[in-house]
Amino acid sequence: MSQEDLSRQAYWRAHLRLLAICLAIWFLVSFGLGIILAAPLNAFSIGGYPLGFWFAQQGAIYTFIILIFVYAWRMNVLDRKYNVHEE
């Protein structure tokens, strides 16, 4: 196997690892905090709203937007590390 093939495999593994982490965070926030743990979180409140409701309506959206920026930033880092960037 050539050095280029090994580099491609390492890049793909790093990409899949990043994707798995982002999807795990997405699942935890949307399904875990917004649905499964909503009742216990409702014991707390943010701005007068129960925390479980807040996570389902606002917190998940904020988290997803942050995930998009983190994913783009990390992919740029990976692209430069494995020399597959477009610039």
Side-chain angles (χ1 to χ4, degrees), residues 8-55:
R8 286 181 183 172
Q9 286 182 352
Y11 174 76
W12 186 243
R13 267 188 261 118
H15 179 226
L16 289 179
R17 186 178 326 113
L18 174 62
L19 198 58
I21 290 170
C22 287
L23 287 174
I25 292 170
W26 170 79
F27 178 78
L28 177 70
V29 170
S30 65
F31 195 72
L33 296 177
I35 297 172
I36 294 175
L37 297 176
L41 289 175
N42 284 339
F44 307 99
S45 64
I46 291 180
Y49 295 100
L51 186 57
F53 174 78
W54 186 86
F55 259 108

Side-chain angles (χ1 to χ4, degrees), residues 60-74:
I61 294 170
Y62 293 144
T63 304
F64 300 156
I65 291 171
I66 292 169
L67 272 178
I68 290 169
F69 285 107
V70 168
Y71 176 78
W73 170 67
R74 287 299 303 163

Side-chain angles (χ1 to χ4, degrees), residues 1-17 75 78-79 81-84:
M1 191 174 287
S2 71
Q3 182 65 26
E4 186 176 328
D5 289 340
L6 292 175
S7 178
R8 286 181 183 172
Q9 286 182 352
Y11 174 76
W12 186 243
R13 267 188 261 118
H15 179 226
L16 289 179
R17 186 178 326 113
M75 281 307 298
L78 285 177
D79 288 351
K81 179 178 178 182
Y82 291 100
N83 200 22
V84 292

